[in-house]
Amino acid sequence: MPHSPFRLLSPARVRLGVQAAYALFLLYAGWRFFLYVRWAMGESEDFVPKPPSVEGFLPISALIAFKRLLFTGQWDPVHPAGLSIFIAVLGMALLLRKGFCGYICPVGFVSSLLARLGTRLGIARRTGPRAARLLSLPKYLLLAQFAWISVVSMDVESIEGFLLSPYNFVADTRMLQFFLAPSNTAITVFAVLGVGSLVLPYFWCRVLCPYGALLSLLARLSPVAVRRDPATCVDCGRCTHACPAALPVQRLERVSSGECMGCAECIAACPVKDCLSVTLPGKRRLPAWSIAAGCVLVLLAVWGVAQALGIWDSPLPQSMARRFHMMLRIGMITH
């Protein structure tokens, strides 16, 4: 009987394939968005529809809109796709651990490539579990700061004022401008993060990313987890060495840490068949690629529902968007 094609793919290849496919999609969306911005700012007469998926790069705006949704039941009309993507990412964390970080996030993709390069250059350094926990503290502090400023301290009236402000209308365009013409300070920060990621794999994700910190908190509730069978384990330590989050897999019966990305690298590294596996409650085993497939399905399902409900594309007229972009162009929108 021929093997399933999924069995011939290692977890690393599945992960790299999903990450690369999503990265290519984002590059295409980014190019379309660039053409849209040129039209919106009066630099081109050729209208190109804005790709709503770029709103996924506005997590703070989406977080604020999510609070408004909870308190008023109203969907964000300015960046509706951003709110949809934010809810999809929260759903992934609750169902599939930090699968978004492991398979979807473009920063995670770059981090994984830098980690591979650092390993090949022989400069990558691993940390023990205790050091890993200490290194993760800054991102939780950043999350607390963002949550206080952007959510806790803002009432509904303040939130609506922000969401409907000219600044929020062009927030995605300002993000594009930032990446197209970064300041010297930004270039220096990117260089430091890049070098840091070569030496300490997933430096940004593990140490500084507040979005990842939020998902880590939710991932603790996920029913899916990697489980180790102590009876068959030979205590070789390969699983712990392979874990990008430096989790002590070989000492755990169930990897319940919120830092687990569900990448299944530990399963691939284990020399004992079925010692490590992705499981549901009741120890029901799942294929190693199930978290990757689940993340893609959640994203597609939320996109389909948002399309069906008419909450994916902004209902606001393009004339309004172009007016705000022209204001940005002449410097009337700065903060």
Side-chain angles (χ1 to χ4, degrees), residues 113-125 197-198 201 241:
L113 296 180
L114 290 174
R116 291 168 184 266
L117 178 59
T119 300
R120 291 187 177 183
L121 294 175
I123 61 175
R125 296 292 180 267
S197 297
L198 291 173
H241 183 76

Side-chain angles (χ1 to χ4, degrees), residues 4-12 14-15 95-97 103 223-227 261-268 273-274 276-280 283-295 297:
S4 164
F6 288 111
R7 293 179 60 87
L8 301 179
L9 293 176
S10 68
V14 171
R15 185 181 178 208
L95 295 174
L96 303 161
R97 313 209 66 80
Y103 294 95
V224 175
V226 172
R227 185 176 291 274
M261 298 186 294
C263 64
E265 296 282 357
C266 57
I267 298 176
K273 182 180 179 181
D274 295 333
L276 291 171
S277 58
V278 177
T279 63
L280 288 170
K283 301 183 180 181
R284 179 180 178 184
R285 294 175 182 265
L286 296 173
W289 47 263
S290 58
I291 293 180
C295 288
L297 288 175

Side-chain angles (χ1 to χ4, degrees), residues 231-250:
T232 59
C233 178
V234 296
D235 201 29
C236 64
R238 294 183 185 180
C239 53
T240 295
H241 183 76
C243 179
L247 298 174
V249 181
Q250 72 189 88

Side-chain angles (χ1 to χ4, degrees), residues 62-259:
L63 178 61
I64 296 173
F66 184 64
K67 178 180 177 179
R68 177 176 179 261
L69 174 65
L70 294 178
F71 277 82
T72 68
Q74 297 178 345
W75 205 263
D76 180 16
V78 180
H79 300 300
L83 179 55
S84 299
I85 294 170
F86 182 75
I87 291 176
V89 173
L90 297 185
M92 287 181 207
L94 288 170
L95 295 174
L96 303 161
R97 313 209 66 80
K98 287 178 64 178
F100 171 78
C101 301
Y103 294 95
I104 305 297
C105 178
V107 180
F109 177 45
V110 174
S111 294
S112 67
L113 296 180
L114 290 174
R116 291 168 184 266
L117 178 59
T119 300
R120 291 187 177 183
L121 294 175
I123 61 175
R125 296 292 180 267
R126 297 191 58 81
T127 60
R130 182 175 299 178
R133 288 194 294 270
L134 291 174
L135 286 171
S136 69
L137 288 178
K139 67 182 180 184
Y140 288 100
L141 295 176
L142 288 171
L143 172 64
Q145 181 181 17
F146 280 121
W148 176 262
I149 295 174
S150 303
V151 179
V152 177
S153 62
M154 296 180 69
D155 56 22
V156 174
E157 183 178 353
S158 299
I159 286 176
E160 292 185 342
F162 170 79
L163 293 178
L164 299 176
S165 67
Y167 174 87
N168 190 47
F169 267 88
V170 297
D172 42 10
T173 296
R174 287 176 61 85
M175 182 73 71
L176 175 66
Q177 292 175 331
F178 171 78
F179 284 110
L180 290 178
S183 64
N184 291 334
T185 301
I187 293 174
T188 302
V189 171
F190 290 150
V192 170
L193 291 175
V195 173
S197 297
L198 291 173
V199 178
L200 181 65
Y202 301 90
F203 176 73
W204 166 260
C205 307
R206 292 172 57 189
V207 181
L208 296 172
C209 180
Y211 204 4
L214 172 61
L215 300 184
S216 293
L217 295 175
L218 296 176
R220 293 178 180 275
L221 304 175
S222 174
V224 175
V226 172
R227 185 176 291 274
R228 181 180 65 90
D229 182 3
T232 59
C233 178
V234 296
D235 201 29
C236 64
R238 294 183 185 180
C239 53
T240 295
H241 183 76
C243 179
L247 298 174
V249 181
Q250 72 189 88
R251 298 205 301 264
L252 303 171
E253 185 170 343
R254 183 178 185 271
V255 183
S256 57
S257 170
E259 298 299 322

